């Protein structure tokens, strides 16, 4: 039996569907709690609708990148497993790499010759085990984060500073990673690697566009920037890189 027949079987779809339904139930519970707490805080229905609108529009950019990246994962692992991994927790690039590690451990390549049901199981185990740390830490540490953050900060006044520093470090790492991860090819450092240059341009253009949109919002009170800013910035970077640096 072809491994994709197993990956796309009703049993796998049903099993993966249970996990995804759990996520949807959790989302519904969190939404209900947010509405309850927001109402107690004095938020109006108009404010709730505005928050929902901004959230939906802001998610368009990240969603498009996931949709574009999930196609190789579907081709390699089947629709059900791709649906589970990205619907539950994880990222496209990480899932593809860990699936490849599982295939390599079995002695083959992802989707290549000799990749059978057992290799599929190895790939899926690596994907699951690699992401389990996030799930375990979320389950054990979420209710303790507030206390941990206050202890690290030392005072309530420092919490915004520490949060901003942590976010800046995270985004800096992700931004630089788009360039430095691609300058080494076959063991040799190529500072002008076309792939690295394109990725760096995407990051820089996205940053510049987002900054200009923030200035526009401040000076012109352009409320639409709050809704569409992230999506515009995320789409502009790749488009500019593809047009001028093919």
């Amino acid at each position: 039996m072809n491994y994709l027949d197993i990956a796309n079987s009703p049993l796998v779809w049903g099993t993966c569907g249970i996990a995804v339904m759990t996520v949807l139930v959790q989302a519904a519970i969190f939404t209900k709690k947010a509405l309850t707490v927001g109402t107690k805080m004095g938020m109006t229905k108009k404010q709730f609708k505005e928050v929902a609108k901004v959230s939906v529009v802001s998610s368009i950019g990240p969603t498009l990148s996931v949709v574009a990246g999930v196609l190789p994962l579907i081709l390699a692992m089947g629709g059900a497993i791709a649906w589970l991994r990205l619907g539950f927790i994880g990222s496209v690039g990480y899932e593809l790499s860990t699936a490849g590690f599982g295939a390599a451990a079995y002695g083959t390549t992802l989707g290549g010759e000799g990749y059978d049901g057992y290799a599929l199981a190895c790939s899926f185990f690596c994907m699951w085990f690699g992401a389990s740390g996030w799930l375990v830490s979320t389950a054990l540490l979420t209710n303790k984060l507030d206390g941990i953050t206050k202890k690290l900060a030392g005072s309530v006044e420092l919490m915004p500073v520490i949060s901003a520093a942590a976010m800046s470090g995270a985004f800096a790492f992700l931004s630089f990673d788009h360039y430095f991860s691609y300058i080494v090819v076959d063991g040799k450092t190529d500072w002008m690697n076309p792939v690295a240059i394109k990725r760096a341009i995407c990051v820089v253009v996205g940053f510049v566009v987002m900054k200009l949109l923030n200035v526009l919002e401040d000076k012109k009170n352009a409320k639409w920037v709050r809704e569409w800013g992230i999506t515009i910035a995320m789409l502009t970077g790749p488009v500019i890189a593809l047009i001028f640096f093919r």
Side-chain angles (χ1 to χ4, degrees):
M1 179 183 291
N2 187 282
Y3 81 94
L4 283 177
D5 293 334
I6 300 173
N8 292 315
S9 65
L11 178 62
V12 175
W13 273 104
T15 306
C16 293
I18 294 173
V20 175
M21 285 302 298
T22 303
V23 175
L24 295 176
V25 171
Q26 288 177 327
I29 293 173
F30 286 136
T31 301
K32 183 179 179 181
K33 286 183 176 291
L35 292 172
T36 301
V37 174
T39 302
K40 291 181 179 179
M41 293 172 60
M43 291 183 65
T44 63
K45 290 184 178 180
K46 183 179 179 180
Q47 289 174 312
F48 280 127
K49 291 180 179 179
E50 185 68 22
V51 170
K53 182 181 178 181
V54 171
S55 299
V56 171
V57 174
S58 299
S59 67
I60 293 176
T63 301
L64 290 176
S65 64
V66 172
V67 170
V70 77
L71 295 178
L73 187 61
I74 293 175
L75 293 174
M77 300 292 294
I81 293 177
W83 180 46
L84 168 66
R85 295 307 310 135
L86 297 180
F88 211 67
I89 188 169
S91 64
V92 176
Y94 177 81
E95 302 301 343
L96 278 172
S97 62
T98 50
F101 294 152
Y106 186 71
T108 183
T109 57
L110 185 62
E113 186 178 355
Y115 192 86
D116 54 16
Y118 294 105
L120 175 68
C122 287
S123 294
F124 185 65
F125 177 80
C126 284
M127 295 166 71
W128 167 81
F129 190 75
S132 62
W134 301 332
L135 298 174
V136 172
S137 61
T138 299
L140 299 180
L141 299 178
T142 299
N143 63 334
K144 300 179 178 63
L145 283 178
D146 187 51
I148 293 173
T149 304
K150 288 180 179 178
K151 287 183 179 180
L152 290 174
S155 64
V156 178
E157 290 76 14
L158 285 177
M159 288 181 63
V161 177
I162 291 180
S163 299
M167 290 296 293
S168 298
F171 280 112
F173 171 78
L174 293 172
S175 298
F176 281 105
D177 185 61
H178 278 286
Y179 175 73
F180 288 102
S181 294
Y182 292 87
I183 61 175
V184 179
V185 181
D186 297 329
K188 298 180 181 180
T189 301
D190 181 7
W191 296 99
M192 299 304 293
N193 183 296
V195 176
I197 295 297
K198 287 181 180 180
R199 285 177 166 267
I201 291 170
C202 288
V203 173
V204 173
V205 171
F207 168 78
V208 172
V209 171
M210 193 69 234
K211 183 61 180 177
L212 292 175
L213 289 172
N214 286 336
V215 172
L216 176 64
E217 179 185 4
D218 293 336
K219 290 187 176 182
K220 300 294 184 179
N221 193 26
K223 294 183 179 180
W224 60 268
V225 173
R226 302 174 193 173
E227 302 172 4
W228 292 96
I230 295 177
T231 299
I232 293 173
M234 289 187 68
L235 294 178
T236 303
V239 169
I240 294 297
L242 289 173
I243 292 175
F244 294 100
F245 298 91
R246 293 184 178 180

